[in-house]
Amino acid sequence: MLPTVEDFLKEFQLSSSDLVFASSGTQKRHLAGKLSGATVIDYRAYGQGEPTDLMVEGIVKALGGKTYDRVFAIGGGTILDVAKLFALEKLSPVTDLYQKKFPAKKAHKLILVPTTCGTGSEVTNISILELTKLGTKMGLADAALYADQAVLVPEFLKGLPDRVFGASAIDALIHSVESYTSPKSTPFSRTFSRRAMDAIIEGFLAIQKDGLPAREAYLEKFLIASTYAGVAFGNAGCAAVHALSYPLGAAQHVPHGESNAVMFAAVYEAYKNKRYDGYLEKLTLHIANLLRTTEDEAFPKLMALLDEILPKKPLKGYGVKEADLKDYTDIVMTKQGRLMANNYVELTESDVMGIYQKLYNQA
Ligand SMILES: [Fe+2]
C-alpha cells in the first residue's frame, strides 16, 4: 500500500530549514497549515507557462542567498525539474549550467513527489527547461540531478484536471514506447517499458469504457506505471517524439504531454516507412495484443484511444505558421541531438520537415 499525504508528512517532518516547491493548488488542497515554516516556492509566481531560464533566475533572486538543507518538490514534472536544480551547489547562470560551462554538483538532499502520473522525473537524472535565448527546451542530464528519495503518494493525484491527467498519462505512455524502441534499450529497460505500457493502456481502455471519472480507481496504477516508464527512459532515453515536440511546446506553450501526443503517430509512421523490424515490430505486436487487434490496426487504434483521452489539433490549430516549420526542423536537427540519437531509425532533416508538414494540416 502506498503512503498517504499524512504518512509522507510524518515521515519527513518538514522544518524551517527546508525548501519546498509546490504549486498554490497543491498547497491549498493538501498542505495547508502543514508546511512547518519551510520556505515555499510556487514557480508560477515567477512567470507564465512551463518553466524557463528566466523563471529559475527569478527564484534564485527571490531566495537572495538564503541557505537551506533539504529540497522537496511536490508537483508535476516541470516543478520537479526546476527543484532538481536547487539541489545543486551552483545553478546560476542557468543557461551556462545547461550548456555545461560549469559542472553540476549536488549540495542538498532532494526528495521528489510527483502529483501527476506522467513525467517520471522523480526517477530520472534529467531536468528540462526552456532556454529563452536559444528558443527551445533543452534537457540537462547529470547524475547530480537524481533524487535521494522519490515518494509515490496517489492521494496527491486526486482532483487533477482532466486535461492535465490526460496529457501526463500520454506522456508516460510515450516514455515507455520511445525507450522501448531506443537503440540504448536493454532487457531491463524494456521490461519497465512493457509494464508501464500494459498498465497505462489498461487504464485508458477502462476510461474509454466508463468515462474519465473511472480513472480514480486506477490512480495508483497510473502513478506506478509512470515511474516504471521513468526508469525505462532514464536508462534508454526518449527520442524523436520528444525532440519534435519541444519547439512546439516552447513557441506555442502547448503542454508537454499534448505536444508529444501531436507528434507520436507521425514519428512512428516515419520510422515504419524506413524500416519495420526488430523492436518496432515487437512493439506493434505488443500494442496489437493489448488492444486485441491486428498488427496493421495497432497504431491507428492506439491513436484513436489517445484522442479520446486528450483530443489534439493540427499544428496550425496551435497557432503555428507554415513558415515556422523550417525553424522547428532546424532546432530539432541542431539542438536536440541528445534525443535524436535514440531514434529507432535515423531521421534526416527532410524526414523531420516531412513530419511537421504532414502534421500542419492533419491532427
Ligand atoms: Fe516527456
Side-chain angles (χ1 to χ4, degrees), residues 21 28 36 39 41 48 97 105 108 112 123 164 190 203 210 222 236 241 260 271 276 305 331:
F21 287 80
K28 255 184 246 152
S36 310
T39 303
I41 301 282
Q48 295 290 310
L97 172 69
K105 212 173 145 199
H108 303 279
L112 299 179
V123 287
V164 176
R190 288 192 296 272
D210 298 323
F222 274 114
V241 176
N260 278 340
Y271 289 158
Y276 184 67
L305 176 61
I331 289 170

PDB file of all heavy atoms in Angstrom, residues 21 28 36 39 41 48 97 105 108 112 123 164 190 203 210 222 236 241 260 271 276 305 331:
ATOM      1  N   PHE A  21       9.100  23.100  -3.106  1.00  0.00           N
ATOM      2  CA  PHE A  21       8.476  23.563  -4.348  1.00  0.00           C
ATOM      3  C   PHE A  21       7.104  22.911  -4.453  1.00  0.00           C
ATOM      4  O   PHE A  21       7.008  21.678  -4.448  1.00  0.00           O
ATOM      5  CB  PHE A  21       9.325  23.168  -5.557  1.00  0.00           C
ATOM      6  CG  PHE A  21      10.579  23.975  -5.698  1.00  0.00           C
ATOM      7  CD1 PHE A  21      11.696  23.685  -4.928  1.00  0.00           C
ATOM      8  CD2 PHE A  21      10.637  25.044  -6.575  1.00  0.00           C
ATOM      9  CE1 PHE A  21      12.858  24.436  -5.042  1.00  0.00           C
ATOM     10  CE2 PHE A  21      11.791  25.806  -6.703  1.00  0.00           C
ATOM     11  CZ  PHE A  21      12.907  25.506  -5.935  1.00  0.00           C
ATOM     12  N   LYS A  28      -2.855  24.429  -1.295  1.00  0.00           N
ATOM     13  CA  LYS A  28      -4.214  24.595  -0.748  1.00  0.00           C
ATOM     14  C   LYS A  28      -4.886  23.249  -0.520  1.00  0.00           C
ATOM     15  O   LYS A  28      -5.484  23.002   0.512  1.00  0.00           O
ATOM     16  CB  LYS A  28      -5.065  25.422  -1.731  1.00  0.00           C
ATOM     17  CG  LYS A  28      -5.286  26.855  -1.251  1.00  0.00           C
ATOM     18  CD  LYS A  28      -6.208  27.581  -2.205  1.00  0.00           C
ATOM     19  CE  LYS A  28      -5.443  28.710  -2.897  1.00  0.00           C
ATOM     20  NZ  LYS A  28      -5.897  29.085  -4.195  1.00  0.00           N
ATOM     21  N   SER A  36       5.158  23.674   8.254  1.00  0.00           N
ATOM     22  CA  SER A  36       6.085  23.850   9.392  1.00  0.00           C
ATOM     23  C   SER A  36       7.164  24.909   9.171  1.00  0.00           C
ATOM     24  O   SER A  36       8.322  24.708   9.516  1.00  0.00           O
ATOM     25  CB  SER A  36       6.769  22.511   9.721  1.00  0.00           C
ATOM     26  OG  SER A  36       5.831  21.490   9.838  1.00  0.00           O
ATOM     27  N   THR A  39      10.449  27.182   3.616  1.00  0.00           N
ATOM     28  CA  THR A  39      10.358  28.188   2.554  1.00  0.00           C
ATOM     29  C   THR A  39       9.664  27.534   1.361  1.00  0.00           C
ATOM     30  O   THR A  39      10.108  26.483   0.901  1.00  0.00           O
ATOM     31  CB  THR A  39      11.770  28.647   2.129  1.00  0.00           C
ATOM     32  OG1 THR A  39      12.427  29.151   3.294  1.00  0.00           O
ATOM     33  CG2 THR A  39      11.715  29.708   1.051  1.00  0.00           C
ATOM     34  N   ILE A  41       8.085  27.663  -2.532  1.00  0.00           N
ATOM     35  CA  ILE A  41       8.180  28.329  -3.835  1.00  0.00           C
ATOM     36  C   ILE A  41       7.118  27.767  -4.774  1.00  0.00           C
ATOM     37  O   ILE A  41       7.038  26.548  -4.971  1.00  0.00           O
ATOM     38  CB  ILE A  41       9.563  28.074  -4.497  1.00  0.00           C
ATOM     39  CG1 ILE A  41      10.714  28.585  -3.617  1.00  0.00           C
ATOM     40  CG2 ILE A  41       9.622  28.657  -5.897  1.00  0.00           C
ATOM     41  CD1 ILE A  41      10.947  30.055  -3.636  1.00  0.00           C
ATOM     42  N   GLN A  48       4.773  32.983 -16.661  1.00  0.00           N
ATOM     43  CA  GLN A  48       3.657  32.219 -17.238  1.00  0.00           C
ATOM     44  C   GLN A  48       4.142  30.909 -17.862  1.00  0.00           C
ATOM     45  O   GLN A  48       5.270  30.829 -18.315  1.00  0.00           O
ATOM     46  CB  GLN A  48       2.995  33.045 -18.356  1.00  0.00           C
ATOM     47  CG  GLN A  48       2.323  34.321 -17.878  1.00  0.00           C
ATOM     48  CD  GLN A  48       1.081  34.040 -17.068  1.00  0.00           C
ATOM     49  OE1 GLN A  48       0.219  33.278 -17.480  1.00  0.00           O
ATOM     50  NE2 GLN A  48       0.983  34.637 -15.893  1.00  0.00           N
ATOM     51  N   LEU A  97      24.778  26.594 -17.078  1.00  0.00           N
ATOM     52  CA  LEU A  97      24.713  25.251 -16.491  1.00  0.00           C
ATOM     53  C   LEU A  97      24.268  24.240 -17.546  1.00  0.00           C
ATOM     54  O   LEU A  97      24.865  23.175 -17.705  1.00  0.00           O
ATOM     55  CB  LEU A  97      23.730  25.255 -15.302  1.00  0.00           C
ATOM     56  CG  LEU A  97      23.409  23.892 -14.692  1.00  0.00           C
ATOM     57  CD1 LEU A  97      24.629  23.316 -13.972  1.00  0.00           C
ATOM     58  CD2 LEU A  97      22.234  23.989 -13.698  1.00  0.00           C
ATOM     59  N   LYS A 105      26.956  20.120  -9.401  1.00  0.00           N
ATOM     60  CA  LYS A 105      27.476  19.465  -8.198  1.00  0.00           C
ATOM     61  C   LYS A 105      26.394  19.456  -7.132  1.00  0.00           C
ATOM     62  O   LYS A 105      25.867  20.515  -6.770  1.00  0.00           O
ATOM     63  CB  LYS A 105      28.710  20.259  -7.721  1.00  0.00           C
ATOM     64  CG  LYS A 105      29.743  19.401  -7.073  1.00  0.00           C
ATOM     65  CD  LYS A 105      31.004  20.202  -6.787  1.00  0.00           C
ATOM     66  CE  LYS A 105      31.614  19.705  -5.483  1.00  0.00           C
ATOM     67  NZ  LYS A 105      32.540  20.657  -4.904  1.00  0.00           N
ATOM     68  N   HIS A 108      22.505  19.411  -1.803  1.00  0.00           N
ATOM     69  CA  HIS A 108      21.385  19.250  -0.865  1.00  0.00           C
ATOM     70  C   HIS A 108      20.675  17.929  -1.106  1.00  0.00           C
ATOM     71  O   HIS A 108      20.639  17.449  -2.239  1.00  0.00           O
ATOM     72  CB  HIS A 108      20.360  20.381  -1.053  1.00  0.00           C
ATOM     73  CG  HIS A 108      20.944  21.740  -0.890  1.00  0.00           C
ATOM     74  ND1 HIS A 108      21.163  22.313   0.335  1.00  0.00           N
ATOM     75  CD2 HIS A 108      21.385  22.629  -1.811  1.00  0.00           C
ATOM     76  CE1 HIS A 108      21.703  23.509   0.169  1.00  0.00           C
ATOM     77  NE2 HIS A 108      21.852  23.722  -1.129  1.00  0.00           N
ATOM     78  N   LEU A 112      11.662  13.970  -4.168  1.00  0.00           N
ATOM     79  CA  LEU A 112      10.728  14.293  -5.255  1.00  0.00           C
ATOM     80  C   LEU A 112       9.425  13.498  -5.113  1.00  0.00           C
ATOM     81  O   LEU A 112       9.447  12.278  -4.940  1.00  0.00           O
ATOM     82  CB  LEU A 112      11.375  13.996  -6.608  1.00  0.00           C
ATOM     83  CG  LEU A 112      12.659  14.786  -6.916  1.00  0.00           C
ATOM     84  CD1 LEU A 112      13.218  14.396  -8.278  1.00  0.00           C
ATOM     85  CD2 LEU A 112      12.413  16.292  -6.849  1.00  0.00           C
ATOM     86  N   VAL A 123      12.420   9.786 -10.977  1.00  0.00           N
ATOM     87  CA  VAL A 123      13.457   8.742 -11.016  1.00  0.00           C
ATOM     88  C   VAL A 123      14.481   8.961 -12.131  1.00  0.00           C
ATOM     89  O   VAL A 123      15.256   8.067 -12.441  1.00  0.00           O
ATOM     90  CB  VAL A 123      12.838   7.322 -11.154  1.00  0.00           C
ATOM     91  CG1 VAL A 123      12.192   6.893  -9.857  1.00  0.00           C
ATOM     92  CG2 VAL A 123      11.865   7.247 -12.315  1.00  0.00           C
ATOM     93  N   VAL A 164      -4.921  17.735 -17.631  1.00  0.00           N
ATOM     94  CA  VAL A 164      -3.603  17.526 -17.009  1.00  0.00           C
ATOM     95  C   VAL A 164      -3.370  16.026 -16.840  1.00  0.00           C
ATOM     96  O   VAL A 164      -2.294  15.499 -17.151  1.00  0.00           O
ATOM     97  CB  VAL A 164      -3.494  18.250 -15.646  1.00  0.00           C
ATOM     98  CG1 VAL A 164      -2.160  17.935 -14.979  1.00  0.00           C
ATOM     99  CG2 VAL A 164      -3.664  19.749 -15.824  1.00  0.00           C
ATOM    100  N   ARG A 190      13.485  -2.555 -21.181  1.00  0.00           N
ATOM    101  CA  ARG A 190      12.285  -2.970 -21.939  1.00  0.00           C
ATOM    102  C   ARG A 190      11.246  -3.609 -21.032  1.00  0.00           C
ATOM    103  O   ARG A 190      10.046  -3.493 -21.278  1.00  0.00           O
ATOM    104  CB  ARG A 190      12.687  -3.919 -23.088  1.00  0.00           C
ATOM    105  CG  ARG A 190      13.403  -3.201 -24.235  1.00  0.00           C
ATOM    106  CD  ARG A 190      13.531  -4.084 -25.475  1.00  0.00           C
ATOM    107  NE  ARG A 190      14.352  -5.251 -25.267  1.00  0.00           N
ATOM    108  CZ  ARG A 190      15.679  -5.303 -25.423  1.00  0.00           C
ATOM    109  NH1 ARG A 190      16.350  -4.232 -25.818  1.00  0.00           N
ATOM    110  NH2 ARG A 190      16.347  -6.420 -25.211  1.00  0.00           N
ATOM    111  N   GLY A 203      -5.595   1.081 -18.240  1.00  0.00           N
ATOM    112  CA  GLY A 203      -6.325   2.204 -17.624  1.00  0.00           C
ATOM    113  C   GLY A 203      -7.078   3.017 -18.672  1.00  0.00           C
ATOM    114  O   GLY A 203      -8.239   3.397 -18.472  1.00  0.00           O
ATOM    115  N   ASP A 210     -15.789   3.557 -19.426  1.00  0.00           N
ATOM    116  CA  ASP A 210     -16.608   4.124 -18.343  1.00  0.00           C
ATOM    117  C   ASP A 210     -16.472   5.631 -18.160  1.00  0.00           C
ATOM    118  O   ASP A 210     -17.057   6.186 -17.229  1.00  0.00           O
ATOM    119  CB  ASP A 210     -16.256   3.439 -17.009  1.00  0.00           C
ATOM    120  CG  ASP A 210     -16.554   1.943 -17.062  1.00  0.00           C
ATOM    121  OD1 ASP A 210     -17.568   1.577 -17.685  1.00  0.00           O
ATOM    122  OD2 ASP A 210     -15.768   1.158 -16.517  1.00  0.00           O
ATOM    123  N   PHE A 222      -1.582   4.079 -12.427  1.00  0.00           N
ATOM    124  CA  PHE A 222      -1.004   5.076 -13.344  1.00  0.00           C
ATOM    125  C   PHE A 222       0.275   5.666 -12.754  1.00  0.00           C
ATOM    126  O   PHE A 222       1.264   5.892 -13.458  1.00  0.00           O
ATOM    127  CB  PHE A 222      -2.007   6.210 -13.619  1.00  0.00           C
ATOM    128  CG  PHE A 222      -2.960   5.931 -14.748  1.00  0.00           C
ATOM    129  CD1 PHE A 222      -4.321   5.790 -14.521  1.00  0.00           C
ATOM    130  CD2 PHE A 222      -2.505   5.837 -16.057  1.00  0.00           C
ATOM    131  CE1 PHE A 222      -5.209   5.535 -15.562  1.00  0.00           C
ATOM    132  CE2 PHE A 222      -3.384   5.598 -17.114  1.00  0.00           C
ATOM    133  CZ  PHE A 222      -4.741   5.442 -16.860  1.00  0.00           C
ATOM    134  N   ALA A 236      17.197   4.239 -21.137  1.00  0.00           N
ATOM    135  CA  ALA A 236      17.297   4.046 -22.589  1.00  0.00           C
ATOM    136  C   ALA A 236      17.051   5.327 -23.381  1.00  0.00           C
ATOM    137  O   ALA A 236      17.383   5.402 -24.556  1.00  0.00           O
ATOM    138  CB  ALA A 236      16.306   2.968 -23.025  1.00  0.00           C
ATOM    139  N   VAL A 241       9.948  11.777 -30.823  1.00  0.00           N
ATOM    140  CA  VAL A 241       8.635  12.351 -30.440  1.00  0.00           C
ATOM    141  C   VAL A 241       8.881  13.536 -29.505  1.00  0.00           C
ATOM    142  O   VAL A 241       8.320  14.626 -29.697  1.00  0.00           O
ATOM    143  CB  VAL A 241       7.730  11.302 -29.759  1.00  0.00           C
ATOM    144  CG1 VAL A 241       6.439  11.942 -29.292  1.00  0.00           C
ATOM    145  CG2 VAL A 241       7.442  10.129 -30.697  1.00  0.00           C
ATOM    146  N   ASN A 260       3.640  16.155 -27.263  1.00  0.00           N
ATOM    147  CA  ASN A 260       4.124  14.815 -27.609  1.00  0.00           C
ATOM    148  C   ASN A 260       3.047  14.016 -28.333  1.00  0.00           C
ATOM    149  O   ASN A 260       3.331  13.309 -29.303  1.00  0.00           O
ATOM    150  CB  ASN A 260       4.500  14.037 -26.344  1.00  0.00           C
ATOM    151  CG  ASN A 260       5.875  14.390 -25.836  1.00  0.00           C
ATOM    152  OD1 ASN A 260       6.704  14.908 -26.562  1.00  0.00           O
ATOM    153  ND2 ASN A 260       6.106  14.122 -24.568  1.00  0.00           N
ATOM    154  N   TYR A 271       9.292   6.145 -38.918  1.00  0.00           N
ATOM    155  CA  TYR A 271      10.191   5.009 -38.644  1.00  0.00           C
ATOM    156  C   TYR A 271       9.782   3.812 -39.503  1.00  0.00           C
ATOM    157  O   TYR A 271      10.606   3.176 -40.150  1.00  0.00           O
ATOM    158  CB  TYR A 271      10.084   4.554 -37.184  1.00  0.00           C
ATOM    159  CG  TYR A 271      10.658   5.455 -36.110  1.00  0.00           C
ATOM    160  CD1 TYR A 271      10.196   5.334 -34.797  1.00  0.00           C
ATOM    161  CD2 TYR A 271      11.655   6.387 -36.367  1.00  0.00           C
ATOM    162  CE1 TYR A 271      10.709   6.112 -33.766  1.00  0.00           C
ATOM    163  CE2 TYR A 271      12.182   7.174 -35.345  1.00  0.00           C
ATOM    164  CZ  TYR A 271      11.706   7.032 -34.047  1.00  0.00           C
ATOM    165  OH  TYR A 271      12.207   7.792 -33.031  1.00  0.00           O
ATOM    166  N   TYR A 276      10.951  -1.550 -40.861  1.00  0.00           N
ATOM    167  CA  TYR A 276       9.992  -2.169 -39.944  1.00  0.00           C
ATOM    168  C   TYR A 276      10.509  -3.551 -39.582  1.00  0.00           C
ATOM    169  O   TYR A 276      10.409  -4.498 -40.355  1.00  0.00           O
ATOM    170  CB  TYR A 276       8.613  -2.251 -40.606  1.00  0.00           C
ATOM    171  CG  TYR A 276       7.542  -2.798 -39.680  1.00  0.00           C
ATOM    172  CD1 TYR A 276       7.129  -2.068 -38.568  1.00  0.00           C
ATOM    173  CD2 TYR A 276       6.962  -4.040 -39.906  1.00  0.00           C
ATOM    174  CE1 TYR A 276       6.169  -2.566 -37.704  1.00  0.00           C
ATOM    175  CE2 TYR A 276       5.993  -4.544 -39.049  1.00  0.00           C
ATOM    176  CZ  TYR A 276       5.605  -3.797 -37.951  1.00  0.00           C
ATOM    177  OH  TYR A 276       4.655  -4.287 -37.087  1.00  0.00           O
ATOM    178  N   LEU A 305      -7.646   5.780 -29.444  1.00  0.00           N
ATOM    179  CA  LEU A 305      -7.843   5.705 -27.991  1.00  0.00           C
ATOM    180  C   LEU A 305      -7.264   6.957 -27.314  1.00  0.00           C
ATOM    181  O   LEU A 305      -7.916   7.575 -26.455  1.00  0.00           O
ATOM    182  CB  LEU A 305      -7.158   4.435 -27.459  1.00  0.00           C
ATOM    183  CG  LEU A 305      -7.162   4.198 -25.951  1.00  0.00           C
ATOM    184  CD1 LEU A 305      -8.590   4.083 -25.418  1.00  0.00           C
ATOM    185  CD2 LEU A 305      -6.368   2.931 -25.596  1.00  0.00           C
ATOM    186  N   ILE A 331      15.827  23.589 -35.310  1.00  0.00           N
ATOM    187  CA  ILE A 331      16.041  23.432 -33.860  1.00  0.00           C
ATOM    188  C   ILE A 331      16.219  21.947 -33.519  1.00  0.00           C
ATOM    189  O   ILE A 331      17.117  21.571 -32.766  1.00  0.00           O
ATOM    190  CB  ILE A 331      14.854  24.051 -33.066  1.00  0.00           C
ATOM    191  CG1 ILE A 331      14.910  25.582 -33.170  1.00  0.00           C
ATOM    192  CG2 ILE A 331      14.882  23.609 -31.606  1.00  0.00           C
ATOM    193  CD1 ILE A 331      13.678  26.285 -32.641  1.00  0.00           C
TER     194      ILE A 331
END
